[in-house]
Amino acid sequence: YRCEYNSTNRERRCNDVNKQLLKDTIKESGMSVKAIAEKSGMVRETLYNKIETGNFYASEISDISRVLRLTREERDAIFFKK
């Protein structure tokens, strides 16, 4: 996986996201981006920007995976494309 360690906030940032699969998964969930963002602890604009740039912290991946109820396989397919 392509993730970088950020020593400032002690988190890994991953930027190998399958953006289209993430967008499709959000659409299929029936939830709005705003609802997913709020349940993940971020504002809607931040989530939109992260989807477009593909830059997520590991904790954000965990939060989004929980909100969308992703399996490990689904999470890996979206956030850790090979």
Side-chain angles (χ1 to χ4, degrees):
Y1 307 133
R2 286 190 348 195
C3 297
E4 300 170 2
Y5 183 72
N6 182 328
S7 59
T8 304
N9 62 3
R10 304 168 99 174
E11 277 215 71
R12 292 195 180 281
R13 179 179 291 270
C14 303
N15 59 2
D16 209 10
V17 176
N18 184 329
K19 296 174 193 176
Q20 190 57 53
L21 183 55
L22 178 54
K23 290 176 183 179
D24 292 345
T25 302
I26 289 170
K27 186 175 181 177
E28 290 172 10
S29 76
M31 287 188 277
S32 67
V33 172
K34 181 180 179 184
I36 293 167
E38 288 175 354
K39 291 179 181 190
S40 299
M42 63 181 88
V43 295
R44 179 183 55 84
E45 292 84 359
T46 300
L47 181 54
Y48 271 117
N49 289 336
K50 289 183 174 290
I51 291 169
E52 289 308 311
T53 63
N55 288 317
F56 288 88
Y57 285 113
S59 61
E60 295 166 337
I61 292 170
S62 177
D63 291 339
I64 292 168
S65 297
R66 177 184 45 78
V67 170
L68 292 174
R69 297 182 177 179
L70 301 177
T71 64
R72 287 183 185 194
E73 292 79 14
E74 291 168 328
R75 179 205 61 200
D76 289 353
I78 293 170
F79 293 103
F80 307 110
K81 68 180 182 180
K82 296 178 181 180

